[in-house]
Amino acid sequence: SRLDAGEDLKVLYRNESNFGLFAHSGGGIGIAYRRGYHVHGTRKRMLELEAQNFKHPKEIKSVNSYYDNSKGFVYGKLNSFLLIRPGIGFQNILFEKQEKKNVEIRFSYFVGATLAFAKPVYLEIIVDNPPDAPSISQEKYDPDKHFPSDIYGKAPFFRGIEQLRMIPGGYGKIALSFEYGKRYNVIKAIETGALLDVYPTHLPMMAFAPKQQVFAILYLKMVWGKKWF
């Protein structure tokens, strides 16, 4: 009954798993899962898996003002990106919870792979402009061929999904988490951190922006999970 109530049993919960939702400075949101194993009383080895979208800071949504029913699009955007990060790291307790009302503070660091999945952007292009209605063609965006006045809007998201390709890279991350849950076998925490994604080649994100191989991201995460023996 004391275990079910989440009381402090003065024994070590050797295992931990948690799920997180986070917002990040890369212009979107992500999800994360971690599995932890105690190395000793205040240190855990952690395995993690994350997925997030990623946008270039110069992405600006616009519309073709010459047409009343035109759709929004991002001029110059070459690809849409989804990032998957499998990694391994360690988590250390800096301040251990002594009472239920206390907050436990942890410091973590991780390294791993970043798998960037790039899907080319397709647009609806005006190929003919008769007086009554424009004739539309769905085409892969080409910065040398397509200009704002020719673009009617963005094509459906899954257009071009068969051309999806992966660009491998790596990442490093540091984080602070603050566990505030009142039950010792249940995890409720807020985590904030910074990570660096590095790729061997530049990511083809925007046609008219400097090429980048290194991206720094800040994030804020809500975490829920459990501990067991």
Side-chain angles (χ1 to χ4, degrees):
S1 61
R2 292 182 61 199
L3 177 64
D4 293 337
E7 295 184 16
D8 185 6
L9 303 181
K10 305 301 181 182
V11 293
L12 183 65
Y13 291 94
R14 293 186 176 276
N15 298 280
E16 174 182 318
S17 67
N18 63 66
F19 171 79
L21 296 174
F22 62 94
H24 59 86
S25 59
I29 59 174
I31 58 175
Y33 174 78
R34 283 183 187 161
R35 179 73 165 86
Y37 309 85
H38 266 281
V39 177
H40 54 69
T42 60
R43 182 175 172 86
K44 296 189 203 112
R45 180 182 294 109
M46 307 292 288
L47 304 176
E48 75 170 2
L49 181 65
E50 292 184 345
Q52 69 165 76
N53 64 341
F54 190 65
K55 300 179 181 179
H56 195 279
K58 292 191 176 182
E59 289 189 23
I60 300 175
K61 193 172 182 178
S62 58
V63 296
N64 191 332
S65 59
Y66 291 105
Y67 301 93
D68 293 335
N69 298 320
S70 60
K71 305 174 185 178
F73 64 94
V74 177
Y75 183 62
K77 184 174 181 177
L78 297 169
N79 291 278
S80 296
F81 280 89
L82 173 68
L83 307 184
I84 305 292
R85 297 191 191 93
I88 186 171
F90 290 91
Q91 186 179 80
N92 299 290
I93 297 176
L94 300 181
F95 179 81
E96 190 172 4
K97 181 187 295 186
Q98 301 297 328
E99 299 179 6
K100 285 188 176 183
K101 63 182 179 180
N102 292 153
V103 175
E104 184 168 284
I105 303 175
R106 305 169 175 179
F107 172 74
S108 307
Y109 55 93
F110 293 86
V111 294
T114 300
L115 308 177
F117 291 88
K119 185 194 77 65
V121 171
Y122 272 73
L123 299 173
E124 293 186 345
I125 304 298
I126 302 168
V127 294
D128 190 18
N129 191 14
D132 51 348
S135 178
I136 303 297
S137 172
Q138 293 184 359
E139 301 178 14
K140 182 178 176 180
Y141 171 63
D142 183 343
D144 296 323
K145 179 181 176 183
H146 301 136
F147 304 97
S149 59
D150 305 325
I151 301 172
Y152 188 75
K154 187 178 179 181
F157 176 80
F158 289 101
R159 183 73 170 88
I161 194 70
E162 72 282 356
Q163 299 177 40
L164 188 73
R165 65 188 180 105
M166 185 185 73
I167 303 173
Y171 80 95
K173 177 200 295 182
I174 56 173
L176 278 176
S177 61
F178 305 87
E179 185 180 335
Y180 59 88
K182 294 183 179 180
R183 299 180 59 172
Y184 282 82
N185 60 345
V186 174
I187 300 169
K188 292 182 179 180
I190 297 174
E191 180 176 301
T192 182
L195 66 89
L196 204 66
D197 284 318
V198 181
Y199 301 92
T201 183
H202 76 278
L203 292 189
M205 300 185 71
M206 297 290 290
F208 309 110
K211 296 180 179 179
Q212 285 184 257
Q213 294 176 243
V214 180
F215 298 85
I217 298 174
L218 303 176
Y219 71 90
L220 181 66
K221 181 195 294 184
M222 298 298 298
V223 180
W224 302 270
K226 64 178 181 179
K227 305 174 188 175
W228 68 95
F229 300 118

